[in-house]
Amino acid sequence: FGSCCSGTRGVGKTALLRRYVAGAPGAAEPEPEPGAEAEAEPTVGVEFYSRARQLPAGPRVKLQLWDTAGQERFRCITRSFYRNVAGVLLVYDVTNRKSFEHIQDWHAEVLATQGPKVIFLLVGHKSDLQSSRCVSSQEAEELATSLGSAFIETSARNNCNVEMAFDTLTDAILQALQQGDMELGEDWGGVRLIHKAQVPSSPSRKQHAGLCQC
């Protein structure tokens, strides 16, 4: 499954991906996510991560994850990666109002490049910084509903809901395949079949609440 993280610079996309990949067996623990006092080095263009996952329904999948730069000067590069993704995490910082206000722009940009077959998940990151919060969970849930997306809040620093976020996106992609809303195609890299097997028809996982469930 090809997926990517999109969002404004500094929302913590890289920290989120590193924390998730570090959850794989044998992976090294990532460096702590910087808080309000310091910012991580911005991503230059696109960085690549991957992690294998055994789905409860039976199939084993490999998640190919792209960390796209949030800076305007890299947009021409990041747009080319949207064509080969099945899922997109739209990430904003709960302490950064502007990053939330730009989510609709990122959503529209992906749709303009990829088309309606992509699955979205709205992610409110840095939920551990409650004293600095300026975007409420209720407001984010309303935006997610308008975008036809699920919503979840995460913290890479506290490792809160990180696994759940990627599991939610992966399960939604699998459900779309089962229902025929997304099809495997030789000319599209979003979902590639490596070992030929029938996609199971098990029921989808119940949608998770947006609040941080540590």
Side-chain angles (χ1 to χ4, degrees):
F1 293 174
S3 301
C4 73
C5 281
S6 295
T8 306
R9 172 185 174 181
V11 298
K13 301 185 297 294
T14 301
L16 194 64
L17 282 164
R18 287 178 178 174
R19 171 64 75 176
Y20 178 66
V21 172
E29 186 74 8
E31 296 179 1
E33 178 194 0
E37 298 79 14
E39 290 187 0
E41 289 296 321
T43 300
V44 177
V46 177
E47 293 185 3
F48 175 78
Y49 299 84
S50 68
R51 177 175 166 181
R53 180 188 166 208
Q54 181 68 47
L55 298 179
R60 182 175 177 82
V61 300
K62 181 178 181 180
L63 304 180
Q64 296 179 320
L65 306 164
W66 288 277
D67 179 11
T68 59
Q71 297 167 285
E72 179 64 33
R73 62 195 178 104
F74 294 120
R75 288 292 181 89
C76 60
I77 299 174
T78 58
R79 286 191 190 102
S80 64
F81 283 84
Y82 292 149
R83 300 188 184 96
N84 290 313
V85 297
V88 175
L89 281 78
L90 298 170
V91 186
Y92 69 93
D93 178 351
V94 300
T95 70
N96 184 333
R97 184 75 192 178
K98 287 186 177 180
S99 71
F100 178 73
E101 293 172 348
H102 288 160
I103 286 294
Q104 289 182 308
D105 296 333
W106 290 103
H107 180 266
E109 183 171 287
V110 174
L111 287 181
T113 306
Q114 166 63 276
K117 62 184 175 181
V118 67
I119 304 296
F120 290 97
L121 175 64
L122 180 61
V123 178
H125 195 217
K126 303 185 184 181
S127 60
D128 57 291
L129 302 177
Q130 288 295 325
S131 62
S132 303
R133 175 188 285 271
C134 59
V135 180
S136 69
S137 299
Q138 181 179 355
E139 187 176 8
E141 287 175 350
E142 292 173 355
L143 175 60
T145 298
S146 70
L147 299 177
S149 164
F151 165 66
I152 194 169
E153 289 190 346
T154 63
S155 169
R157 169 176 284 183
N158 292 347
N159 196 18
C160 180
N161 286 348
V162 175
E163 292 275 342
M164 188 181 294
F166 287 92
D167 286 354
T168 298
L169 184 66
T170 303
D171 290 348
I173 295 172
L174 182 61
Q175 182 179 3
L177 287 169
Q178 293 169 346
Q179 297 178 345
D181 297 329
M182 184 181 293
E183 297 181 356
L184 296 170
E186 295 181 358
D187 59 343
W188 177 53
V191 179
R192 288 184 294 175
L193 190 62
I194 299 176
H195 299 291
K196 190 172 182 180
Q198 186 176 2
V199 177
S201 56
S202 59
S204 62
R205 181 176 297 180
K206 183 178 180 181
Q207 181 173 320
H208 302 289
L211 295 177
C212 187
Q213 301 172 356
C214 299

